[in-house]
Amino acid sequence: MNARSYGASATISVDAAEAILGAATKLFGDRGFHGASVRQLADESGVSLSNIYNYFPSKTDILLALLREANSNLRRQTGEAIATAGPDVTDRLRSGVQAFVRYYVENREISIVATSEFRYLNGVARSEIVAARDLTQRVFTTLIEEGVAGRRFRTPHPHEATLAMLTMCSSVNVWYRDTGPLDADDIATRYAHLAVALLEGV
Amino acid sequence: MNARSYGASATISVDAAEAILGAATKLFGDRGFHGASVRQLADESGVSLSNIYNYFPSKTDILLALLREANSNLRRQTGEAIATAGPDVTDRLRSGVQAFVRYYVENREISIVATSEFRYLNGVARSEIVAARDLTQRVFTTLIEEGVAGRRFRTPHPHEATLAMLTMCSSVNVWYRDTGPLDADDIATRYAHLAVALLEGV
């Protein structure tokens, strides 16, 4: 997305790009990537069909922009939480898991699209998103390796434990409803506890 | 699916129904429910368009039949594994988790469709599949409640632990490849270990 390069009309351009991405989140969520047409995206966003193509040459570019934004926000929020959690490896893991879970709870719609529609990306676009996801995973892998080396996490299966931890946390968006008895912070705190248990933290 | 009621042509009918469901697994996986047309299902399955409607009045009925079969197989395999695992609650949990993980590893394509395309079911069809999934979840909820009551599982958050356990296990289909160093049994055994750790089993 380089809408800001449109110069004098920069503010309007950013709004239009955001309107398109907002419409895509809704329509890809409701109908799937192949089920939603660019015409429907135009109707939903209020941006004309021809103008959509000024921002995004193809529907795939819209999906890529969505997933790029989702992964970037997840990585930033998680990274900041870990960086400000102090020196203890278990504290850093808890803090990272809490931020990760909060992201999925607070961004249900886009994170469900990111999970279910990723399979429609191919080639360079796919590689970019795989690399972005790997960056977030790598942060947790490194933390868990540190905890295992220091005998703070005793799991004999750190690789599978890392994948299990990330997938159980990212799946909260499937069942969590903000009308339930627990708010995002409660869920995040409980999942941090579950993550430490999973890793056999001491 | 009541293809068997077609009488004399029963064998052929069952084959056709299975061909349609096989094509749907592939096409719903590749293009999504809304992205795959009944015409494409006819081409892929080798069953004529008009004949497809003899078996399934609508594309939704095909999706429902797929999800019904997937949930039924998952529940049966899991239930049998638990029933034959002896009296110990941890042994039964391990056995159930192993069967559950093996199902997702060995049925990657259909289980990914079951997860990602479920959102396109509405009304009675949706209620039926929710009820079927709840039955499998209930088996694990009951086991975990028994283990918590008997102080074999010390997790302070059994409800979230149950959801976390089932979602981490069902997500193996996202990353598992049978070209990797571990086979389905290895993964299932490791996940059973992780599940007991998650529940703080003693």
Side-chain angles (χ1 to χ4, degrees):
Chain A
M1 239 192 332
N2 56 358
R4 287 181 197 281
S5 67
Y6 278 69
S9 59
T11 309
I12 291 168
S13 298
V14 170
D15 284 353
E18 285 181 0
I20 296 164
L21 294 181
T25 303
K26 182 178 185 314
L27 285 170
F28 292 168
D30 288 349
R31 301 189 47 82
F33 176 70
H34 283 297
S37 67
V38 181
R39 180 165 296 282
Q40 290 170 324
L41 288 167
D43 290 344
E44 177 76 26
S45 65
V47 179
S48 73
L49 194 58
S50 58
N51 204 17
I52 285 185
Y53 288 112
N54 286 332
Y55 293 96
F56 302 104
S58 74
K59 200 167 66 166
T60 298
D61 291 302
I62 300 177
L63 180 61
L64 175 60
L66 267 190
L67 269 62
R68 186 184 281 154
E69 186 183 320
N71 278 287
S72 161
N73 289 339
L74 173 63
R75 187 167 71 252
R76 185 174 40 74
Q77 291 180 26
T78 305
E80 284 173 5
I82 292 171
T84 57
D88 183 79
V89 69
T90 309
D91 288 345
R92 278 182 285 145
L93 182 93
R94 275 201 200 95
S95 186
V97 166
Q98 284 175 23
F100 189 90
V101 167
R102 267 199 308 269
Y103 177 83
Y104 280 89
V105 164
E106 290 168 355
N107 299 274
R108 277 193 72 230
E109 231 181 349
I110 196 170
S111 64
I112 287 174
V113 168
T115 302
S116 64
E117 308 308 291
F118 163 74
R119 60 189 156 138
Y120 302 124
L121 286 183
N122 294 300
V124 176
R126 186 183 186 89
S127 303
E128 179 191 325
I129 298 302
V130 167
R133 297 202 302 199
D134 284 353
L135 276 178
T136 304
Q137 184 174 322
R138 166 72 24 211
V139 169
F140 284 104
T141 301
T142 304
L143 254 182
I144 289 168
E145 283 171 352
E146 179 188 336
V148 168
R151 306 185 67 77
R152 299 290 304 281
F153 305 144
R154 296 165 304 175
T155 179
H157 308 301
H159 177 65
E160 288 78 16
T162 305
L163 294 169
M165 185 188 86
L166 294 174
T167 52
M168 82 184 192
C169 291
S170 63
S171 301
V172 294
N173 61 14
V174 176
W175 59 263
Y176 180 77
R177 296 293 176 272
D178 54 15
T179 50
L182 301 176
D183 67 19
D185 280 338
D186 296 329
I187 294 289
T189 304
R190 291 187 181 199
Y191 267 71
H193 176 98
L194 296 177
V196 174
L198 181 71
L199 295 167
E200 303 176 51
V202 293
Chain B
M1 243 195 326
N2 55 358
R4 284 181 199 282
S5 66
Y6 279 70
S9 59
T11 308
I12 292 169
S13 297
V14 170
D15 284 352
E18 283 181 2
I20 297 165
L21 293 180
T25 303
K26 183 178 185 313
L27 285 170
F28 292 168
D30 288 349
R31 303 189 45 83
F33 176 70
H34 283 297
S37 67
V38 180
R39 179 164 297 281
Q40 289 169 325
L41 288 167
D43 290 345
E44 178 75 26
S45 65
V47 178
S48 73
L49 195 59
S50 58
N51 204 16
I52 286 186
Y53 289 112
N54 287 333
Y55 293 97
F56 302 104
S58 74
K59 200 167 67 166
T60 298
D61 290 301
I62 300 177
L63 181 62
L64 175 60
L66 267 190
L67 269 62
R68 186 183 282 153
E69 185 182 321
N71 277 288
S72 161
N73 289 339
L74 173 63
R75 188 168 70 251
R76 184 175 40 74
Q77 291 180 27
T78 305
E80 283 172 6
I82 292 172
T84 56
D88 184 78
V89 69
T90 308
D91 288 346
R92 278 182 284 146
L93 183 93
R94 274 200 201 95
S95 187
V97 166
Q98 284 175 25
F100 188 90
V101 166
R102 266 199 310 270
Y103 177 83
Y104 280 89
V105 164
E106 290 167 356
N107 299 275
R108 275 194 73 231
E109 228 181 351
I110 195 170
S111 65
I112 287 174
V113 169
T115 302
S116 64
E117 309 307 290
F118 163 74
R119 59 190 157 137
Y120 302 124
L121 286 184
N122 294 301
V124 175
R126 186 183 186 89
S127 302
E128 178 190 325
I129 297 304
V130 167
R133 298 201 305 199
D134 284 352
L135 275 178
T136 303
Q137 183 174 322
R138 165 72 25 211
V139 169
F140 284 103
T141 301
T142 304
L143 255 182
I144 290 169
E145 283 171 353
E146 178 187 337
V148 168
R151 305 186 66 79
R152 299 290 305 281
F153 305 144
R154 294 165 305 173
T155 179
H157 307 302
H159 177 65
E160 289 77 18
T162 305
L163 293 169
M165 185 188 85
L166 294 175
T167 53
M168 81 184 194
C169 291
S170 63
S171 301
V172 293
N173 61 13
V174 176
W175 59 263
Y176 180 77
R177 296 292 175 275
D178 54 16
T179 51
L182 301 177
D183 68 17
D185 280 338
D186 297 329
I187 294 290
T189 304
R190 291 188 182 199
Y191 266 72
H193 176 98
L194 295 176
V196 174
L198 180 71
L199 296 168
E200 303 175 51
V202 290

